[in-house]
């Protein structure tokens, strides 16, 4: 009964217009547009919902930021699987069910966790081949200068948690929700992947900060070009980067982060490491660092 992926993200938002514009510029398809709900879909059928702060359906959070993520819903194989996990969780915390059958509870840091049946859709993804030496798969072709990011999927979510909560927080996701630990750093945090997935991480609990706060959600695009084209489009639309583009050390993915008016950041990522159950968790006394490389001159862009 594995958890397979992020299925839905729900934000409580001060400025609905700004939040909706941000996600349209991010490249997602908007499927609902009203004062009470702005909803977006990834190419594989995941959902992002923006709701006004006064919406009574929003789950409580210990994050004191007004606009922030108010619930991460994880997809499982079947309703029976979701119920089995929830029944186990209910041994030591309250579990509730909303109108669409999503089962809700709080993790050890007070963040709202939902379980629902995953409904993946097939995305039409074109992997652009590379010309290298005498290998010439991209013959008489070129990179379209008008290409724009259209995120394929939500890959992971990240929370900042208090160091004192770390062991309980990580243990909850691994022991109760059966996440796998890919990398753990004493000075950084814990990178975990869904039991039913292969990404280096679908969840990162960043325990170097003495707070409980949503940090970011990450969206996969096809390749480095789409990370760059997407980021340049966001800059041209007036949105502020939180980092320069680069490539991470843990996970190895290309990245570019932007400040999201709905809460936290969003990240474009591409080419993340993939792991299965043959992977041996790495434990680090010190974090190996944030980037293999990163651009450090804003004038270049």
């Amino acid at each position: 009964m594995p958890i397979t992926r992020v299925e839905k993200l729900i934000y409580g938002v001060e400025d609905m217009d700004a939040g909706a514009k941000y996600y349209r510029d991010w490249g997602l398809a908007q499927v609902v547009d009203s004062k009470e709900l702005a909803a977006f879909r990834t190419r594989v059928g995941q959902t992002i919902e923006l709701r006004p702060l006064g919406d009574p359906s929003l789950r409580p959070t210990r994050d004191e930021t007004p606009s922030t993520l108010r619930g991460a819903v994880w997809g499982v194989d079947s309703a029976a699987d979701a119920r089995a996990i929830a029944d186990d969780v209910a041994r030591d915390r309250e579990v509730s069910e909303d109108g669409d059958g999503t089962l809700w509870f709080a993790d050890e840091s007070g963040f709202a966790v939902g379980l629902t049946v995953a409904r993946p859709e097939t995305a039409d993804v074109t992997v652009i081949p590379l010309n290298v030496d005498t290998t010439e798969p991209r013959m008489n072709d070129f990179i379209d200068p008008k290409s724009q990011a259209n995120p394929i999927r939500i890959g992971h979510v990240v929370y900042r948690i208090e160091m004192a909560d770390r062991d309980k927080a990580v243990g909850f996701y691994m022991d109760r929700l059966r996440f796998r630990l890919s990398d753990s750093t004493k000075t950084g945090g814990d990178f975990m992947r869904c039991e039913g997935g292969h990404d280096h991480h679908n969840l990162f609990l960043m325990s170097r900060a003495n707070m409980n706060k949503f940090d970011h959600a990450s969206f996969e695009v096809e390749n480095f070009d789409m990370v760059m084209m997407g980021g340049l489009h966001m800059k041209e639309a007036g949105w502020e980067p939180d980092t320069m583009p680069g490539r991470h050390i843990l996970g190895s993915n290309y990245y570019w982060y932007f400040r999201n008016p709905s809460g936290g950041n969003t990240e474009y990522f591409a080419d993340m490491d993939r792991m299965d159950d043959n992977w041996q968790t790495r434990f680090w006394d010190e974090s190996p660092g944030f980037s293999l490389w990163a651009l450090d001159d804003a004038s270049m862009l």
Side-chain angles (χ1 to χ4, degrees):
M1 54 181 182
I3 292 173
T4 58
R5 66 176 193 170
V6 177
E7 197 69 21
K8 180 189 292 187
L9 299 177
I10 303 171
Y11 291 82
V13 178
E14 283 187 300
D15 188 336
M16 291 285 288
D17 290 338
K21 182 180 186 305
Y22 182 91
Y23 270 116
R24 288 194 297 269
D25 289 339
W26 193 247
L28 295 176
Q30 187 165 6
V31 294
V32 179
D33 182 9
S34 73
K35 292 182 179 180
E36 293 75 30
L37 173 65
F40 299 83
R41 299 273 285 177
T42 68
R43 288 157 62 185
V44 296
Q46 299 152 303
T47 305
I48 298 91
E49 292 185 356
L50 311 183
R51 296 182 177 273
L53 288 182
D55 189 316
S57 71
L58 291 173
R59 303 279 156 175
T61 178
R62 291 171 63 188
D63 187 340
E64 297 179 357
T65 309
S67 294
T68 191
L69 187 71
R70 298 293 289 270
V73 180
W74 298 90
V76 297
D77 288 335
S78 70
D81 291 339
R83 177 57 66 184
I85 296 171
D87 285 347
D88 175 72
V89 168
R91 291 187 289 110
D92 58 11
R93 70 202 63 218
E94 181 181 355
V95 175
S96 62
E97 184 172 350
D98 67 16
D100 68 4
T102 301
L103 300 168
W104 287 99
F105 46 89
D107 69 9
E108 294 292 333
S109 303
F111 297 113
V113 178
L115 297 175
T116 192
V117 177
R119 294 179 172 84
E121 299 174 6
T122 301
D124 183 14
V125 177
T126 300
V127 178
I128 300 174
L130 298 176
N131 292 330
V132 180
D133 192 31
T134 58
T135 301
E136 302 171 328
R138 196 165 54 79
M139 182 66 70
N140 299 324
D141 197 3
F142 62 93
I143 302 299
D144 184 354
K146 295 183 179 180
S147 296
Q148 172 51 34
N150 176 205
I152 301 163
R153 64 187 177 105
I154 305 165
H156 58 269
V157 293
V158 176
Y159 298 101
R160 297 171 181 257
I161 65 169
E162 295 181 8
M163 183 63 78
D165 291 342
R166 179 176 184 171
D167 290 344
K168 291 191 302 180
V170 175
F172 175 77
Y173 280 98
M174 292 184 63
D175 299 338
R176 313 294 291 280
L177 303 187
R178 297 168 57 173
F179 278 67
R180 309 301 204 226
L181 185 64
S182 298
D183 277 293
S184 178
T185 72
K186 288 184 179 179
T187 57
D190 299 276
F191 296 84
M192 290 173 279
R193 62 191 188 275
C194 299
E195 181 185 14
H198 292 144
D199 286 330
H200 174 266
H201 60 283
N202 305 108
L203 175 69
F204 176 37
L205 298 183
M206 188 188 305
S207 54
R208 61 177 177 263
N210 192 29
M211 64 181 72
N212 287 287
K213 181 181 177 65
F214 169 65
D215 189 82
H216 74 268
S218 190
F219 294 78
E220 186 180 37
V221 292
E222 285 86 345
N223 55 24
F224 175 67
D225 286 319
M226 289 299 99
V227 171
M228 295 299 293
M229 300 292 276
L232 289 171
H233 175 78
M234 292 296 285
K235 286 188 66 177
E236 290 167 0
W239 302 109
E240 186 175 2
D242 192 65
T243 68
M244 295 298 289
R247 185 155 196 164
H248 281 309
I249 295 174
L250 298 183
S252 300
N253 51 290
Y254 298 111
Y255 65 81
W256 200 351
Y257 296 79
F258 282 77
R259 296 175 184 171
N260 182 358
S262 297
N265 294 333
T266 54
E267 174 193 15
Y268 288 124
F269 83 92
D271 194 24
M272 175 175 278
D273 293 338
R274 305 295 176 95
M275 281 79 179
D276 61 17
D277 285 344
N278 293 314
W279 174 255
Q280 299 296 310
T281 304
R282 297 182 295 188
F283 295 93
W284 306 78
D285 288 335
E286 298 289 335
S287 171
F290 188 71
S291 304
L292 285 165
W293 58 263
L295 300 180
D296 58 5
D297 183 356
S299 67
M300 294 172 62
L301 303 174

